Amino acid sequence: MAKTLIAGSDHAGLELKRELSGVAAELDYEVVDIGTHNSESTDYPDYAHQVASAVGRGEGLGLLVCGTGIGMSMAANRHPGVRAAVCSDVFSASMTRQHNDANVLCIGARVVGTGLAAEILKAFLSASFEGGRHERRVNKIEPSNEG
Ligand code: RB5
């Protein structure tokens, strides 16, 4: 099955998103870049919502890059079925796939350098959800399913 990564950024994340799209392509991901496509100042939620909508529809994993990754994650996590995680280290990127079944990776272009960001993305894409007890916990993330 084709692997798809839906990528979005604001102006602050533009360059890093482009670098990371190349990394994902090397890992045989088809990258769908929903924008922004230029360095003009823009609003991160516009891209977070587009990527999160696509991920919520099951079209692939998501990558969102802004200055800190935080605003992107806040907007993306408003979407049902979307679990967006801001990661600044490789361990968290792997664990959030394994234990939280994260489906959107958010990275801060003003927080991590390109080399580390590439390693974070590789860790995220190569890990997979462990299920089992984690499935029960992930289900409880939805407030309507609280224990
Ligand atoms: C843009 O200056 C910055 O606020 C944005 O990229 C992001 O860091 C928001 O969370």
Side-chain angles (χ1 to χ4, degrees):
M1 195 178 83
K3 300 181 292 185
T4 303
L5 183 69
I6 304 138
S9 74
D10 67 358
H11 54 287
L14 176 66
E15 290 308 322
L16 183 57
K17 177 190 63 181
R18 286 178 172 163
E19 293 283 345
L20 295 178
S21 295
V23 171
E26 280 172 18
L27 295 173
D28 292 331
Y29 274 79
E30 181 197 344
V31 180
V32 179
D33 184 350
I34 58 89
T36 188
H37 298 295
N38 61 60
S39 58
E40 207 172 296
S41 183
T42 187
D43 301 335
Y44 59 85
D46 297 344
Y47 307 96
H49 290 311
Q50 283 191 64
V51 168
S53 294
V55 170
R57 291 191 298 267
E59 293 174 14
L61 293 173
L63 170 68
L64 287 166
V65 189
C66 64
T68 60
I70 296 171
M72 288 292 201
S73 70
M74 288 177 169
N77 277 321
R78 304 299 294 266
H79 290 249
V82 169
R83 290 173 297 280
V86 188
C87 295
S88 304
D89 66 274
V90 169
F91 178 73
S92 298
S94 182
M95 292 306 291
T96 198
R97 288 281 285 141
Q98 292 177 60
H99 285 195
N100 313 127
D101 200 15
N103 47 20
V104 177
L105 173 65
C106 302
I107 298 188
R110 295 171 178 160
V111 180
V112 296
T114 307
L116 176 55
E119 294 308 313
I120 289 169
L121 177 63
K122 286 180 197 169
F124 186 84
L125 295 179
S126 62
S128 48
F129 184 47
E130 289 178 5
R133 68 189 185 281
H134 301 296
E135 183 143 27
R136 182 181 69 245
R137 294 165 184 167
V138 167
N139 287 336
K140 286 185 177 182
I141 290 174
E142 284 300 320
S144 56
N145 294 335
E146 70 180 301

